[in-house]
Amino acid sequence: MALAAPLPAAAPPALRSGTAAIIAPAGPGDRYLPVLARHGWASVAVTTPAATSPGDGYLRHITHRGSLRRTAAQLQQLGVQAVIAGSAAGTELADRLADRLHLPGNAPDTADIRRDIAFTSAALLDAGITAPRSIRTPRLSDALTWAAFTQINDLVVQHPDPSHPHPAYLCRTADDIRHAWARLQTTTGQPLVLREGLAGTQYRIHTLTGPGADGTPDHTITAIWSEIRTADQLVCRSDLLSRHGLLARALALYTMRALTALGVRYGSAHATVTYIPDRGPALLSLRTDPYDDFASDVLRRATDHDPIRDTALLLATGRRHETLQPRRTHVTKVALLPRHDGFLDEALLRTITTLPTVAATSELTATAPVHAGRIAGWLLLVADDSRAINQDHQVIRAAENLGLYGSPA
Protein backbone atom coordinates (compact mmCIF):
# COMPACT_ATOMS: atom_id res chain seq x y z
CA MET A 1 0.00 0.00 0.00
CA ALA A 2 1.75 3.14 -1.18
CA LEU A 3 1.12 6.45 0.53
CA ALA A 4 1.25 9.80 -1.18
CA ALA A 5 3.63 12.33 0.29
CA PRO A 6 1.83 14.60 2.80
CA LEU A 7 0.73 17.95 1.43
CA PRO A 8 1.90 21.11 3.21
CA ALA A 9 -0.21 21.81 6.30
CA ALA A 10 -2.55 24.75 6.26
CA ALA A 11 -1.61 27.78 8.30
CA PRO A 12 -3.06 27.95 11.81
CA PRO A 13 -6.03 30.22 12.48
CA ALA A 14 -4.79 33.80 12.62
CA LEU A 15 -7.54 35.22 14.83
CA ARG A 16 -7.46 34.97 18.60
CA SER A 17 -11.22 34.44 18.73
CA GLY A 18 -13.37 32.23 16.58
CA THR A 19 -15.53 29.12 16.45
CA ALA A 20 -14.43 25.48 16.55
CA ALA A 21 -16.47 22.47 15.44
CA ILE A 22 -16.08 19.48 17.76
CA ILE A 23 -17.01 16.29 15.90
CA ALA A 24 -18.84 13.53 17.81
CA PRO A 25 -18.06 14.95 21.24
CA ALA A 26 -18.23 12.46 24.08
CA GLY A 27 -16.57 12.71 27.47
CA PRO A 28 -13.06 13.99 26.71
CA GLY A 29 -14.30 15.97 23.70
CA ASP A 30 -16.48 18.11 25.96
CA ARG A 31 -13.33 19.16 27.83
CA TYR A 32 -12.44 21.36 24.87
CA LEU A 33 -15.28 23.78 25.67
CA PRO A 34 -13.88 25.56 28.76
CA VAL A 35 -10.31 25.53 27.40
CA LEU A 36 -11.33 27.09 24.08
CA ALA A 37 -13.61 29.54 25.88
CA ARG A 38 -10.63 30.87 27.82
CA HIS A 39 -9.15 31.86 24.46
CA GLY A 40 -12.40 33.52 23.40
CA TRP A 41 -13.54 30.67 21.16
CA ALA A 42 -17.06 29.28 20.90
CA SER A 43 -17.76 25.62 20.09
CA VAL A 44 -20.24 23.88 17.78
CA ALA A 45 -21.13 20.22 18.35
CA VAL A 46 -21.50 17.96 15.30
CA THR A 47 -23.22 14.67 16.10
CA THR A 48 -24.92 11.79 14.29
CA PRO A 49 -28.61 10.88 14.76
CA ALA A 50 -27.74 7.84 16.90
CA ALA A 51 -25.18 9.61 19.11
CA THR A 52 -25.85 10.63 22.70
CA SER A 53 -26.31 14.34 23.32
CA PRO A 54 -23.10 16.24 24.11
CA GLY A 55 -22.70 18.38 27.21
CA ASP A 56 -24.03 21.89 27.65
CA GLY A 57 -22.23 25.04 26.54
CA TYR A 58 -22.17 24.58 22.76
CA LEU A 59 -23.11 27.53 20.55
CA ARG A 60 -25.02 25.25 18.18
CA HIS A 61 -25.76 21.54 17.66
CA ILE A 62 -25.56 20.18 14.12
CA THR A 63 -26.62 16.68 13.13
CA HIS A 64 -24.52 15.05 10.42
CA ARG A 65 -26.82 12.83 8.34
CA GLY A 66 -24.25 11.47 5.89
CA SER A 67 -23.81 14.43 3.54
CA LEU A 68 -20.33 15.87 3.89
CA ARG A 69 -21.24 18.76 1.59
CA ARG A 70 -24.28 19.77 3.65
CA THR A 71 -22.53 19.56 7.03
CA ALA A 72 -19.55 21.52 5.71
CA ALA A 73 -21.90 24.21 4.35
CA GLN A 74 -23.59 24.53 7.76
CA LEU A 75 -20.22 24.92 9.48
CA GLN A 76 -19.09 27.46 6.89
CA GLN A 77 -22.21 29.55 7.51
CA LEU A 78 -21.32 29.62 11.21
CA GLY A 79 -17.80 30.84 10.43
CA VAL A 80 -16.08 27.76 11.83
CA GLN A 81 -12.29 28.20 11.78
CA ALA A 82 -11.18 24.89 13.29
CA VAL A 83 -12.38 21.28 13.31
CA ILE A 84 -11.53 18.91 16.17
CA ALA A 85 -12.35 15.23 16.72
CA GLY A 86 -14.30 14.98 19.98
CA SER A 87 -14.03 11.19 20.23
CA ALA A 88 -12.67 8.17 18.36
CA ALA A 89 -15.93 8.00 16.39
CA GLY A 90 -15.38 11.52 15.10
CA THR A 91 -11.80 11.28 13.83
CA GLU A 92 -12.47 10.35 10.20
CA LEU A 93 -15.34 12.83 9.77
CA ALA A 94 -13.24 15.58 11.39
CA ASP A 95 -10.41 14.99 8.90
CA ARG A 96 -12.79 15.06 5.93
CA LEU A 97 -14.65 18.18 7.11
CA ALA A 98 -11.39 20.03 7.77
CA ASP A 99 -10.21 19.19 4.26
CA ARG A 100 -13.54 20.27 2.75
CA LEU A 101 -13.40 23.59 4.62
CA HIS A 102 -9.67 24.13 3.84
CA LEU A 103 -8.84 24.16 7.54
CA PRO A 104 -5.91 22.53 9.38
CA GLY A 105 -6.38 18.78 9.79
CA ASN A 106 -4.92 15.37 9.12
CA ALA A 107 -4.70 13.92 5.61
CA PRO A 108 -8.20 12.72 4.64
CA ASP A 109 -6.89 10.08 2.20
CA THR A 110 -5.25 8.17 5.08
CA ALA A 111 -8.07 8.64 7.61
CA ASP A 112 -9.31 5.05 7.24
CA ILE A 113 -5.74 3.73 7.52
CA ARG A 114 -5.26 5.45 10.87
CA ARG A 115 -8.49 3.89 12.19
CA ASP A 116 -7.42 0.28 11.49
CA ILE A 117 -4.34 -1.33 13.05
CA ALA A 118 -3.86 -3.77 10.15
CA PHE A 119 -4.00 -0.99 7.54
CA THR A 120 -1.65 1.09 9.70
CA SER A 121 0.93 -1.69 9.86
CA ALA A 122 0.67 -2.37 6.11
CA ALA A 123 1.15 1.31 5.31
CA LEU A 124 4.23 1.56 7.52
CA LEU A 125 5.77 -1.62 6.11
CA ASP A 126 5.19 -0.31 2.56
CA ALA A 127 6.99 2.88 3.58
CA GLY A 128 9.97 0.88 4.88
CA ILE A 129 9.11 1.54 8.54
CA THR A 130 9.18 -1.25 11.13
CA ALA A 131 5.71 -2.55 12.06
CA PRO A 132 4.18 -5.90 13.04
CA ARG A 133 3.12 -8.30 10.29
CA SER A 134 -0.62 -8.98 10.35
CA ILE A 135 -3.69 -10.27 8.55
CA ARG A 136 -7.15 -8.67 8.66
CA THR A 137 -9.96 -11.09 7.87
CA PRO A 138 -13.51 -12.05 8.93
CA ARG A 139 -12.66 -15.76 8.51
CA LEU A 140 -10.98 -17.82 11.21
CA SER A 141 -9.76 -20.30 8.57
CA ASP A 142 -7.76 -17.55 6.83
CA ALA A 143 -6.19 -16.52 10.12
CA LEU A 144 -5.18 -20.09 10.95
CA THR A 145 -3.71 -20.60 7.48
CA TRP A 146 -1.70 -17.37 7.80
CA ALA A 147 -0.45 -18.37 11.26
CA ALA A 148 0.70 -21.77 9.97
CA PHE A 149 2.43 -20.18 6.99
CA THR A 150 4.30 -17.46 8.92
CA GLN A 151 5.41 -19.79 11.75
CA ILE A 152 5.36 -16.89 14.24
CA ASN A 153 5.56 -18.14 17.83
CA ASP A 154 3.60 -15.35 19.54
CA LEU A 155 0.49 -13.89 17.91
CA VAL A 156 -2.17 -11.41 19.02
CA VAL A 157 -5.87 -11.40 18.11
CA GLN A 158 -7.66 -8.06 18.44
CA HIS A 159 -10.23 -5.75 16.90
CA PRO A 160 -9.06 -3.60 13.95
CA ASP A 161 -10.21 -0.36 15.62
CA PRO A 162 -7.54 0.77 18.13
CA SER A 163 -10.24 2.49 20.23
CA HIS A 164 -12.17 -0.74 20.81
CA PRO A 165 -12.38 -1.32 24.58
CA HIS A 166 -11.84 -5.10 24.53
CA PRO A 167 -8.23 -6.13 25.21
CA ALA A 168 -6.16 -8.15 22.80
CA TYR A 169 -5.48 -11.86 23.29
CA LEU A 170 -1.98 -13.32 23.20
CA CYS A 171 -1.97 -16.65 21.35
CA ARG A 172 0.67 -19.36 20.99
CA THR A 173 -1.33 -22.23 19.49
CA ALA A 174 -4.10 -22.72 16.95
CA ASP A 175 -6.48 -23.49 19.84
CA ASP A 176 -5.57 -20.16 21.44
CA ILE A 177 -6.47 -18.38 18.19
CA ARG A 178 -9.80 -20.23 17.96
CA HIS A 179 -10.65 -19.33 21.56
CA ALA A 180 -9.75 -15.65 21.10
CA TRP A 181 -11.62 -15.48 17.79
CA ALA A 182 -14.78 -16.85 19.38
CA ARG A 183 -14.61 -14.31 22.22
CA LEU A 184 -13.97 -11.29 19.99
CA GLN A 185 -16.05 -11.96 16.87
CA THR A 186 -19.48 -11.01 18.16
CA THR A 187 -21.16 -10.88 14.71
CA THR A 188 -20.69 -13.00 11.60
CA GLY A 189 -18.54 -11.31 8.99
CA GLN A 190 -16.85 -8.95 11.45
CA PRO A 191 -13.14 -8.71 10.56
CA LEU A 192 -10.52 -9.27 13.22
CA VAL A 193 -6.76 -8.82 13.13
CA LEU A 194 -4.19 -11.52 13.81
CA ARG A 195 -0.81 -9.89 14.18
CA GLU A 196 2.71 -10.60 15.23
CA GLY A 197 3.10 -10.46 19.01
CA LEU A 198 6.22 -8.37 19.46
CA ALA A 199 7.89 -9.05 22.80
CA GLY A 200 9.10 -5.77 24.21
CA THR A 201 8.22 -2.93 26.53
CA GLN A 202 5.26 -0.90 25.32
CA TYR A 203 5.17 2.88 25.41
CA ARG A 204 2.26 5.33 25.13
CA ILE A 205 3.64 8.34 23.25
CA HIS A 206 1.75 11.64 23.15
CA THR A 207 2.42 14.05 20.30
CA LEU A 208 1.34 17.45 19.03
CA THR A 209 1.63 18.41 15.36
CA GLY A 210 1.40 21.81 13.73
CA PRO A 211 2.91 23.63 10.77
CA GLY A 212 6.64 24.25 10.97
CA ALA A 213 8.50 27.28 9.70
CA ASP A 214 8.39 25.94 6.12
CA GLY A 215 4.68 25.03 6.34
CA THR A 216 5.22 21.27 6.52
CA PRO A 217 4.01 19.28 9.57
CA ASP A 218 6.24 19.61 12.62
CA HIS A 219 5.78 16.85 15.23
CA THR A 220 6.54 17.39 18.92
CA ILE A 221 6.76 14.60 21.50
CA THR A 222 4.94 15.87 24.59
CA ALA A 223 5.05 12.79 26.85
CA ILE A 224 6.30 9.19 26.87
CA TRP A 225 4.79 6.67 29.28
CA SER A 226 6.43 3.29 29.83
CA GLU A 227 3.74 0.65 30.37
CA ILE A 228 3.83 -2.64 32.24
CA ARG A 229 1.08 -5.01 31.10
CA THR A 230 -0.45 -8.22 32.38
CA ALA A 231 -0.66 -11.44 30.36
CA ASP A 232 -4.15 -10.27 29.33
CA GLN A 233 -2.65 -7.06 27.88
CA LEU A 234 -4.11 -4.82 30.59
CA VAL A 235 -1.92 -1.92 31.71
CA CYS A 236 -1.09 -2.41 35.40
CA ARG A 237 1.52 0.35 35.78
CA SER A 238 2.59 3.31 33.65
CA ASP A 239 5.65 5.46 34.39
CA LEU A 240 6.38 8.85 32.85
CA LEU A 241 9.69 8.52 31.01
CA SER A 242 12.24 11.29 30.74
CA ARG A 243 12.30 12.69 27.21
CA HIS A 244 16.09 12.83 27.38
CA GLY A 245 18.38 9.89 26.68
CA LEU A 246 18.99 7.44 23.84
CA LEU A 247 15.82 5.38 24.32
CA ALA A 248 13.53 8.41 24.35
CA ARG A 249 15.30 9.80 21.29
CA ALA A 250 14.91 6.52 19.39
CA LEU A 251 11.21 6.35 20.25
CA ALA A 252 10.70 10.00 19.30
CA LEU A 253 12.46 9.75 15.93
CA TYR A 254 10.56 6.59 15.01
CA THR A 255 7.19 8.01 16.07
CA MET A 256 7.67 11.25 14.14
CA ARG A 257 8.58 9.28 11.02
CA ALA A 258 5.49 7.08 11.44
CA LEU A 259 3.22 10.10 11.94
CA THR A 260 4.43 11.65 8.70
CA ALA A 261 3.89 8.40 6.78
CA LEU A 262 0.35 8.09 8.17
CA GLY A 263 -0.66 11.63 7.23
CA VAL A 264 -0.82 13.19 10.69
CA ARG A 265 -0.57 16.94 10.08
CA TYR A 266 -2.35 18.77 12.86
CA GLY A 267 -3.35 18.39 16.50
CA SER A 268 -2.69 15.83 19.19
CA ALA A 269 -2.20 12.09 18.75
CA HIS A 270 -1.22 9.19 20.98
CA ALA A 271 0.60 6.13 19.73
CA THR A 272 1.31 2.75 21.30
CA VAL A 273 4.85 1.74 20.36
CA THR A 274 6.81 -1.31 21.45
CA TYR A 275 10.59 -1.49 21.56
CA ILE A 276 12.26 -4.74 20.53
CA PRO A 277 15.98 -4.85 21.38
CA ASP A 278 17.06 -6.41 18.07
CA ARG A 279 14.58 -4.52 15.84
CA GLY A 280 13.99 -1.18 17.50
CA PRO A 281 10.60 0.58 17.84
CA ALA A 282 7.43 -0.67 16.13
CA LEU A 283 4.05 1.06 16.16
CA LEU A 284 1.13 -1.07 17.35
CA SER A 285 -1.64 1.51 17.08
CA LEU A 286 -2.30 5.21 16.57
CA ARG A 287 -5.20 7.38 17.74
CA THR A 288 -5.98 11.02 16.97
CA ASP A 289 -9.01 11.41 19.26
CA PRO A 290 -8.78 13.23 22.63
CA TYR A 291 -6.96 11.23 25.26
CA ASP A 292 -9.23 10.57 28.24
CA ASP A 293 -7.36 10.30 31.54
CA PHE A 294 -8.33 10.54 35.18
CA ALA A 295 -7.12 13.39 37.40
CA SER A 296 -6.27 15.52 34.37
CA ASP A 297 -5.68 18.67 36.46
CA VAL A 298 -3.23 16.91 38.79
CA LEU A 299 -1.49 15.26 35.84
CA ARG A 300 -1.10 18.61 34.10
CA ARG A 301 0.53 20.15 37.16
CA ALA A 302 2.83 17.15 37.64
CA THR A 303 3.82 16.62 34.00
CA ASP A 304 3.15 20.01 32.36
CA HIS A 305 1.34 18.03 29.65
CA ASP A 306 -2.35 18.14 28.71
CA PRO A 307 -3.42 17.10 25.18
CA ILE A 308 -6.69 19.09 25.40
CA ARG A 309 -4.99 22.28 26.57
CA ASP A 310 -2.10 21.93 24.13
CA THR A 311 -4.38 21.34 21.12
CA ALA A 312 -6.69 24.21 22.05
CA LEU A 313 -3.71 26.57 22.45
CA LEU A 314 -2.40 25.57 19.02
CA LEU A 315 -5.78 26.11 17.38
CA ALA A 316 -6.57 29.41 19.08
CA THR A 317 -3.17 31.09 18.92
CA GLY A 318 -0.95 29.06 16.59
CA ARG A 319 1.49 28.64 19.49
CA ARG A 320 2.59 25.58 21.45
CA HIS A 321 2.80 25.30 25.20
CA GLU A 322 6.41 25.75 26.31
CA THR A 323 7.94 24.07 29.33
CA LEU A 324 10.12 26.60 31.10
CA GLN A 325 12.45 24.07 32.70
CA PRO A 326 12.93 20.29 32.72
CA ARG A 327 10.83 18.56 35.36
CA ARG A 328 12.45 15.99 37.61
CA THR A 329 9.24 14.83 39.27
CA HIS A 330 8.53 11.10 39.02
CA VAL A 331 4.97 10.27 37.98
CA THR A 332 3.36 6.81 37.94
CA LYS A 333 -0.18 5.57 37.24
CA VAL A 334 -1.10 2.32 39.03
CA ALA A 335 -4.12 0.19 38.09
CA LEU A 336 -6.12 -1.84 40.59
CA LEU A 337 -6.54 -5.32 39.11
CA PRO A 338 -8.88 -7.73 40.95
CA ARG A 339 -8.14 -11.44 40.49
CA HIS A 340 -11.71 -12.33 41.51
CA ASP A 341 -15.12 -10.68 41.76
CA GLY A 342 -15.67 -8.85 45.03
CA PHE A 343 -15.90 -5.38 46.53
CA LEU A 344 -13.53 -2.66 47.69
CA ASP A 345 -12.68 -3.09 51.35
CA GLU A 346 -13.13 0.23 53.15
CA ALA A 347 -10.14 0.02 55.52
CA LEU A 348 -7.64 -1.18 52.90
CA LEU A 349 -8.95 1.34 50.37
CA ARG A 350 -8.32 4.11 52.90
CA THR A 351 -4.83 2.72 53.48
CA ILE A 352 -3.75 2.89 49.84
CA THR A 353 -5.43 6.19 48.97
CA THR A 354 -3.67 7.97 51.86
CA LEU A 355 -0.17 6.76 51.00
CA PRO A 356 2.39 9.61 50.88
CA THR A 357 2.90 9.61 47.09
CA VAL A 358 -0.77 9.21 46.07
CA ALA A 359 -1.72 12.57 44.54
CA ALA A 360 -5.08 11.58 43.01
CA THR A 361 -7.27 8.62 42.16
CA SER A 362 -10.04 7.76 39.78
CA GLU A 363 -13.46 7.43 41.39
CA LEU A 364 -13.05 4.76 44.08
CA THR A 365 -15.91 4.00 46.47
CA ALA A 366 -15.73 1.68 49.48
CA THR A 367 -17.86 -1.47 49.12
CA ALA A 368 -18.22 -0.84 45.36
CA PRO A 369 -18.31 -4.10 43.35
CA VAL A 370 -15.27 -5.11 41.30
CA HIS A 371 -14.86 -7.80 38.67
CA ALA A 372 -12.01 -10.14 37.81
CA GLY A 373 -10.13 -9.20 34.66
CA ARG A 374 -11.33 -5.57 34.71
CA ILE A 375 -9.45 -2.55 36.01
CA ALA A 376 -11.22 -1.41 39.18
CA GLY A 377 -9.61 2.04 39.30
CA TRP A 378 -6.42 4.05 39.12
CA LEU A 379 -4.05 5.81 41.50
CA LEU A 380 -1.68 8.60 40.50
CA LEU A 381 1.63 8.57 42.37
CA VAL A 382 3.88 11.65 42.32
CA ALA A 383 7.22 12.09 44.12
CA ASP A 384 10.65 13.64 43.78
CA ASP A 385 12.24 10.25 44.49
CA SER A 386 11.29 7.18 42.46
CA ARG A 387 12.06 4.96 45.45
CA ALA A 388 9.13 6.49 47.35
CA ILE A 389 6.83 5.59 44.46
CA ASN A 390 8.14 2.03 44.33
CA GLN A 391 7.61 1.60 48.08
CA ASP A 392 4.00 2.78 47.85
CA HIS A 393 3.44 0.61 44.79
CA GLN A 394 4.51 -2.43 46.83
CA VAL A 395 2.03 -1.44 49.56
CA ILE A 396 -0.78 -1.22 46.98
CA ARG A 397 -0.04 -4.70 45.63
CA ALA A 398 0.24 -6.05 49.18
CA ALA A 399 -3.19 -4.58 50.00
CA GLU A 400 -4.61 -6.41 46.98
CA ASN A 401 -3.26 -9.70 48.35
CA LEU A 402 -4.52 -8.94 51.89
CA GLY A 403 -8.16 -8.54 50.80
CA LEU A 404 -8.64 -5.18 49.07
CA TYR A 405 -11.32 -6.87 46.96
CA GLY A 406 -12.86 -8.93 49.76
CA SER A 407 -12.63 -12.69 50.04
CA PRO A 408 -13.03 -14.96 46.99
CA ALA A 409 -16.50 -16.47 46.71
Side-chain angles (χ1 to χ4, degrees):
M1 182 185 303
L3 291 177
L7 297 173
L15 301 179
R16 291 181 179 272
S17 62
T19 302
I22 302 178
I23 314 302
D30 287 334
R31 285 184 53 212
Y32 277 114
L33 269 73
V35 182
L36 287 167
R38 286 198 290 271
H39 294 288
W41 279 59
S43 299
V44 173
V46 178
T47 59
T48 60
T52 56
S53 299
D56 297 330
Y58 288 94
L59 177 68
R60 286 279 299 277
H61 292 73
I62 292 176
T63 302
H64 174 71
R65 302 184 184 277
S67 172
L68 187 69
R69 179 190 61 79
R70 181 175 180 178
T71 302
Q74 291 177 290
L75 296 180
Q76 194 167 34
Q77 289 175 355
L78 292 171
V80 164
Q81 297 165 273
V83 179
I84 310 171
S87 66
T91 52
E92 189 168 346
L93 179 57
D95 294 337
R96 300 193 187 286
L97 283 170
D99 181 67
R100 182 94 180 191
L101 294 167
H102 306 290
L103 294 172
N106 297 319
D109 57 331
T110 51
D112 57 339
I113 293 174
R114 292 188 293 273
R115 286 292 307 279
D116 190 299
I117 59 173
F119 294 160
T120 296
S121 290
L124 292 179
L125 289 170
D126 283 351
I129 299 173
T130 304
R133 293 171 288 171
S134 65
I135 181 174
R136 180 187 191 273
T137 176
R139 291 182 291 273
L140 172 61
S141 58
D142 290 348
L144 292 171
T145 299
W146 184 82
F149 175 75
T150 57
Q151 295 287 299
I152 298 173
N153 292 328
D154 293 333
L155 293 162
V156 172
V157 175
Q158 63 189 122
H159 280 272
D161 189 341
S163 67
H164 196 280
H166 205 291
Y169 287 95
L170 181 63
C171 302
R172 292 188 171 89
T173 67
D175 284 342
D176 290 343
I177 296 173
R178 292 187 186 95
H179 176 71
W181 209 269
R183 296 194 66 176
L184 286 177
Q185 194 174 52
T186 55
T187 60
T188 303
Q190 171 194 345
L192 295 177
V193 174
L194 180 65
R195 70 164 174 84
E196 190 178 7
L198 299 176
T201 303
Q202 291 189 20
Y203 300 88
R204 176 65 62 89
I205 302 176
H206 294 264
T207 68
L208 186 68
T209 301
D214 60 355
T216 58
D218 180 27
H219 309 297
T220 301
I221 305 298
T222 55
I224 302 176
W225 293 87
S226 174
E227 298 181 338
I228 298 175
R229 292 175 177 254
T230 67
D232 296 328
Q233 298 301 300
L234 292 173
V235 178
C236 59
R237 173 171 172 164
S238 184
D239 294 276
L240 186 66
L241 191 70
S242 169
R243 281 178 279 165
H244 304 283
L246 292 178
L247 174 60
R249 180 167 176 78
L251 292 169
L253 290 174
Y254 170 88
T255 302
M256 290 188 286
R257 188 181 174 204
L259 293 179
T260 298
L262 295 171
V264 175
R265 300 178 186 169
Y266 204 90
S268 61
H270 44 111
T272 299
V273 175
T274 188
Y275 188 91
I276 311 104
D278 58 341
R279 290 173 61 179
L283 187 139
L284 302 181
S285 66
L286 174 69
R287 295 178 61 175
T288 56
D289 55 301
Y291 183 68
D292 192 15
D293 211 335
F294 74 102
S296 56
D297 290 341
V298 179
L299 270 168
R300 183 175 61 251
R301 291 194 296 270
T303 66
D304 208 19
H305 162 64
D306 183 341
I308 302 289
R309 176 205 60 187
D310 296 347
T311 302
L313 180 67
L314 181 65
L315 286 168
T317 69
R319 295 185 291 105
R320 301 171 193 246
H321 176 75
E322 295 182 2
T323 303
L324 297 179
Q325 58 184 4
R327 290 179 174 266
R328 293 178 171 81
T329 304
H330 296 273
V331 183
T332 297
K333 292 182 283 189
V334 176
L336 299 180
L337 298 171
R339 296 190 185 93
H340 57 81
D341 293 349
F343 57 89
L344 287 173
D345 179 83
E346 184 173 5
L348 287 172
L349 180 61
R350 188 184 310 112
T351 296
I352 64 172
T353 55
T354 56
L355 289 168
T357 66
V358 175
T361 71
S362 61
E363 186 175 348
L364 297 172
T365 305
T367 72
V370 297
H371 303 282
R374 300 184 198 173
I375 293 176
W378 289 89
L379 298 96
L380 179 67
L381 281 55
V382 180
D384 293 332
D385 189 341
S386 62
R387 290 173 295 185
I389 287 179
N390 290 332
Q391 288 171 0
D392 284 355
H393 178 254
Q394 291 176 2
V395 173
I396 293 168
R397 297 308 182 206
E400 290 182 311
N401 295 328
L402 289 171
L404 178 61
Y405 311 117
S407 302

